[in-house]
């Protein structure tokens, strides 16, 4: 099998056993990033020389019989939102073009310590403000399954690169669906952990109360490996929980025996199309075959949850951006200004109310939507992947409506702080479809177990776009 | 609230020069969201509720 077709955990195992060298794997990844990355516009910066030096060092370490990390010699690249000391980090913006951080994000330090080889940085929309991969300054990221279609965003380059087999995994960030949209649209697996599970130190902020860092990879097992490496307490981020980090891979039992999966039929199915509904129904049937029991539930006032999420995001983002709004408004895309500027107008009391009510609203959601189940099964995106033209051409109102439909099933969940995984479950028009699983706080092990069981009997996450089948 | 008042908030209070068309664009979103959260606060917010309650909920974890 071509080495790029291995999963992250398979590649790490092959390198550890000496079946393939880190240099060979990295050379292959570099070549694919250059060739396919250009077609997808998914690569911002390729650190070829440093990556090959790191890979050679990894091979030497193995040859010397020294202990190997969980990601020893595995090439990865990440959304351009993570700081690496001395390397530019524009976060998809014109404003931060030329910004060179003086520190490295804790999550990148942890990947380095686990032996990962850093290949560089990947495409994202301006300041993570698009669910489609739209970027007025640097161009669209393109979907590997059909380059006329959106990749999803804002971790657009991460999902496109994993789907096209350029890298074995990638970190993204998620403030309203930014790990889950692109993972769903590109046919890979994306995990937004519980808020506070992963350190945000050295990550460009969008909204401190909602931002989450998480993995995008081919399957649940790969996500489990990456989460194990990046999660945990961090003196540089006091909001990161001190709760111990479970053995996520050890929890992958391969079945769903005893699992109860809740399906709220209201709100989340408002915009679901026939093709998406069919894929969701088939995924539920598969989960039943894996041993799960499916129960119907309801949801509380989701318009309120979405309003809270919007308010917290825009107020915190406007706080971060206010000085630049005043001094450099022309350096923002108008779409970005339109989405962030409302945060300048809300009274401080509204913001405080949104935070003070967060526990009550989250509890109400869990009671109604989860009940006594272990996970909630939801659509990831209600509609088949739209084309780039559908999300950029025509009148602004119809584009805004389309964008609203794309985020319908994801955006409120960040206000609730809950863990969510996006899992591929089908195709429509040749482009991927996915479901989400939502759990109680810190129920990542449960979500990964269910997703992994599903992926042991399906192959949606293993299928390759034609463009990725190039040798 | 009229857009002139909202324009004063953003231009005078926030010190962000903003043309009327952008104030108008934000107003439709802001007024709707504000009203929804005011109604929720009136019916749900108790004297002792605080942002710390959410951290306590997370600390409870999966219990």
């Amino acid at each position: 099998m071509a080495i790029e077709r291995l999963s992250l955990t398979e590649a790490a195992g092959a390198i550890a056993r000496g079946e393939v060298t880190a240099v060979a794997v990295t050379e292959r990844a570099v070549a694919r990033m250059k060739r396919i990355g250009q077609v997808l516009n998914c690569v911002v910066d390729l650190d070829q020389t440093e990556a090959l030096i790191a890979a050679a060092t990894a091979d030497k370490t193995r040859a010397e019989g020294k202990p190997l990390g969980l990601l020893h010699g595995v090439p990865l690249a990440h959304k351009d939102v993570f700081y690496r000391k001395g390397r530019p980090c524009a976060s998809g913006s014109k404003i931060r073009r030329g910004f060179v951080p003086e520190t490295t994000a804790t999550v990148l330090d942890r990947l380095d310590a686990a032996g990962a080889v850093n290949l560089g940085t990947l495409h994202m929309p301006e300041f993570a403000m698009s669910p489609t991969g739209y970027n007025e300054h640097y161009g669209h990221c393109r979907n590997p399954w059909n380059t006329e279609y959106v990749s999803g965003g804002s971790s657009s380059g991460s999902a496109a690169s994993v789907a096209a087999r350029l890298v074995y995994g990638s970190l993204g960030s998620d403030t309203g669906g930014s790990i889950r949209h692109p993972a769903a649209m590109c046919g890979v697996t994306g995990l937004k952990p519980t808020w506070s599970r992963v350190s945000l130190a050295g990550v460009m902020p969008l909204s401190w109360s909602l931002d989450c860092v998480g993995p995008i990879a081919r399957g649940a097992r790969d996500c489990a490996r990456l989460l194990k490496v990046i999660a945990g307490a961090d003196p540089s981020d006091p909001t990161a929980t001190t709760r111990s980090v479970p053995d996520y891979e050890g929890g992958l039992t391969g079945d769903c025996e005893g699992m109860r999966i809740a399906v709220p039929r209201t709100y989340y199915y408002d915009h679901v199309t026939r093709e998406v509904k069919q894929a969701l129904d088939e995924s539920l049937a598969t989960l039943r075959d894996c041993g799960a029991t499916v129960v119907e539930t309801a949801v509380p006032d989701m318009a309120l949850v979405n309003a809270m999420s919007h308010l917290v995001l825009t107020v915190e983002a406007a706080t971060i951006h206010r000085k630049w709004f005043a001094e450099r408004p022309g350096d923002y895309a108008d779409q970005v200004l339109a989405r962030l500027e409302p945060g300048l107008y809300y009274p401080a009391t509204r913001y405080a109310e949104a935070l003070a009510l967060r526990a009550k609203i989250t509890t109400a959601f869990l009671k109604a939507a989860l009940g006594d189940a272990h996970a909630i099964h939801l659509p990831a995106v209600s509609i088949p992947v739209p084309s780039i033209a559908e999300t950029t051409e025509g009148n602004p109102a119809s584009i805004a409506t389309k964008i609203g439909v794309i985020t319908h099933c994801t955006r409120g969940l960040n206000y609730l702080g809950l863990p969510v995984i996006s899992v591929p479950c089908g195709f429509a028009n040749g482009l991927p479809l996915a479901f989400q699983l939502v759990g109680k706080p810190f129920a990542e092990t449960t979500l990964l177990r269910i997703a992994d069981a599903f992926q042991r009997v399906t192959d949606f996450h293993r299928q390759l776009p034609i463009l990725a089948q190039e040798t | 609230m009229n857009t002139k008042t909202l324009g004063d908030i953003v231009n005078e209070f926030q010190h962000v020069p903003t043309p009327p068309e952008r104030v108008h664009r934000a107003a439709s979103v802001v007024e709707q969201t504000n009203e929804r959260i005011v109604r929720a606060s009136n019916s749900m917010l108790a004297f002792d509720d605080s942002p710390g309650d959410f951290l306590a909920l997370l600390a409870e974890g999966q219990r």
Side-chain angles (χ1 to χ4, degrees):
Chain A
M1 183 193 286
I3 50 179
E4 69 271 12
R5 298 198 185 192
L6 299 174
S7 71
L8 180 148
T9 45
E10 287 168 346
I15 293 166
R17 291 189 297 273
E19 294 164 7
V20 62
T21 64
V23 166
V25 173
T26 302
E27 283 176 341
R28 185 78 176 149
V30 166
R32 292 176 71 81
M33 282 185 83
K34 284 182 178 173
R35 193 174 66 251
I36 303 172
Q38 189 175 23
V39 176
L40 298 175
N41 190 33
C42 63
V43 179
V44 171
D45 193 17
L46 175 60
D47 294 339
Q48 179 177 348
T49 304
E50 288 183 27
L52 289 170
I53 291 170
T57 305
D59 287 334
K60 185 165 176 283
T61 301
R62 186 193 166 277
E64 290 168 351
K66 292 179 180 170
L68 307 182
L70 288 171
L71 300 170
H72 191 83
V74 178
L76 307 174
H78 312 287
K79 184 176 185 177
D80 193 24
V81 78
F82 301 101
Y83 300 167
R84 186 174 284 279
K85 185 178 179 179
R87 308 293 301 185
C89 183
S91 299
S93 72
K94 193 171 176 183
I95 298 254
R96 284 207 128 184
R97 192 179 283 168
F99 166 67
V100 179
E102 294 178 357
T103 57
T104 297
T106 296
V107 288
L108 295 191
D109 276 338
R110 289 179 176 169
L111 293 175
D112 293 347
V117 172
N118 177 55
L119 281 177
T121 52
L122 301 173
H123 181 282
M124 62 180 286
E126 182 178 358
F127 291 123
M129 284 305 295
S130 164
T132 65
Y134 171 87
N135 188 313
E136 196 164 295
H137 310 300
Y138 303 100
H140 296 281
C141 186
R142 293 174 180 275
N143 195 305
W145 292 90
N146 184 331
T147 56
E148 297 302 311
Y149 284 70
V150 305
S151 60
S154 65
S155 305
S156 36
S158 297
S161 298
V162 172
R165 301 332 191 226
L166 310 187
V167 294
Y168 293 90
S170 179
L171 297 188
S173 62
D174 190 318
T175 310
S178 284
I179 286 174
R180 294 161 285 150
H181 302 132
M185 292 182 179
C186 291
V188 295
T189 308
L191 175 63
K192 182 203 91 65
T194 309
W195 182 82
S196 80
R197 178 69 285 181
V198 176
S199 168
L200 298 172
V203 184
M204 184 221 65
L206 176 55
S207 167
W208 310 291
S209 302
L210 307 181
D211 290 344
C212 294
V213 169
I216 294 177
R218 289 160 213 183
R221 180 172 289 278
D222 292 350
C223 286
R225 175 76 58 95
L226 288 166
L227 184 62
K228 175 69 179 173
V229 170
I230 63 173
D234 177 15
S236 300
D237 178 7
T239 67
T241 181
T242 56
R243 174 183 290 263
S244 63
V245 180
D247 173 12
Y248 297 113
E249 280 185 83
L252 306 179
T253 60
D255 65 61
C256 296
E257 291 301 330
M259 292 283 110
R260 287 170 64 82
I261 295 177
V263 181
R265 288 294 187 189
T266 51
Y267 177 78
Y268 285 102
Y269 281 77
D270 289 353
H271 302 288
V272 164
T273 64
R274 182 185 50 77
E275 311 96 301
V276 175
K277 173 78 165 48
Q278 185 179 340
L280 292 168
D281 287 345
E282 287 171 3
S283 71
L284 285 168
T286 302
L287 290 168
R288 281 193 194 93
D289 292 343
C290 292
T293 305
V294 176
V295 295
E296 287 207 8
T297 56
V299 290
D301 179 1
M302 291 308 295
L304 175 63
V305 176
N306 289 336
M308 293 294 195
S309 203
H310 159 84
L311 180 133
V312 172
L313 190 158
T314 59
V315 169
E316 293 185 354
T319 306
I320 294 162
H321 288 266
R322 188 186 62 80
K323 190 162 173 284
W324 287 329
F325 285 164
E327 294 173 357
R328 302 176 61 180
D331 287 344
Y332 287 90
D334 191 53
Q335 272 197 20
V336 175
L337 274 184
R339 292 191 65 198
L340 294 183
E341 278 184 331
L344 294 168
Y345 298 80
Y346 293 110
T349 42
R350 242 6 42 77
Y351 173 67
E353 287 162 7
L355 294 181
L357 284 170
R358 198 175 182 188
K360 271 186 179 167
I361 292 173
T362 302
T363 301
F365 177 85
L366 287 171
K367 186 177 175 190
L370 184 68
D372 63 356
H374 297 90
I376 306 166
H377 178 285
L378 306 174
V381 181
S382 307
I383 57 173
V385 180
S387 68
I388 290 172
E390 285 176 280
T391 58
T392 54
E393 295 170 7
N395 72 69
S398 71
I399 293 171
T401 302
K402 183 77 86 177
I403 300 288
V405 170
I406 290 171
T407 62
H408 183 78
C409 299
T410 55
R411 61 183 186 263
L413 295 169
N414 290 66
Y415 174 73
L416 306 175
L418 304 171
V420 194
I421 192 166
S422 174
V423 183
C425 69
F427 291 87
N429 311 324
L431 288 123
L433 304 172
F435 63 85
Q436 297 182 99
L437 293 169
V438 185
K440 288 182 184 174
F442 303 105
E444 285 85 358
T445 306
T446 303
L447 303 185
L448 288 162
R449 175 186 164 188
I450 298 170
D452 173 67
F454 180 82
Q455 291 180 334
R456 290 195 197 193
V457 295
T458 60
D459 69 350
F460 303 113
H461 65 296
R462 288 195 202 93
Q463 296 191 30
L464 260 71
I466 290 171
L467 167 148
Q469 293 172 19
E470 284 182 27
T471 54
Chain B
M1 190 181 291
N2 63 43
T3 50
K4 179 181 181 309
T5 308
L6 286 171
D8 288 345
I9 289 172
V10 72
N11 283 287
E12 305 300 326
F13 269 33
Q14 296 282 20
H15 301 276
V16 178
T18 306
E21 61 272 17
R22 293 223 313 264
V23 175
H24 185 74
R25 180 172 70 181
S28 60
V29 177
V30 169
E31 288 176 355
Q32 195 179 0
T33 304
N34 188 64
E35 288 310 306
R36 188 178 287 279
I37 297 177
V38 165
R39 285 199 305 274
S41 295
N42 288 344
S43 65
M44 296 172 70
L45 191 66
F47 187 81
D48 293 323
D49 287 341
S50 87
D53 297 343
F54 182 70
L55 300 178
L57 177 73
L58 292 186
E60 278 182 36
Q62 288 183 256
R63 274 192 289 161

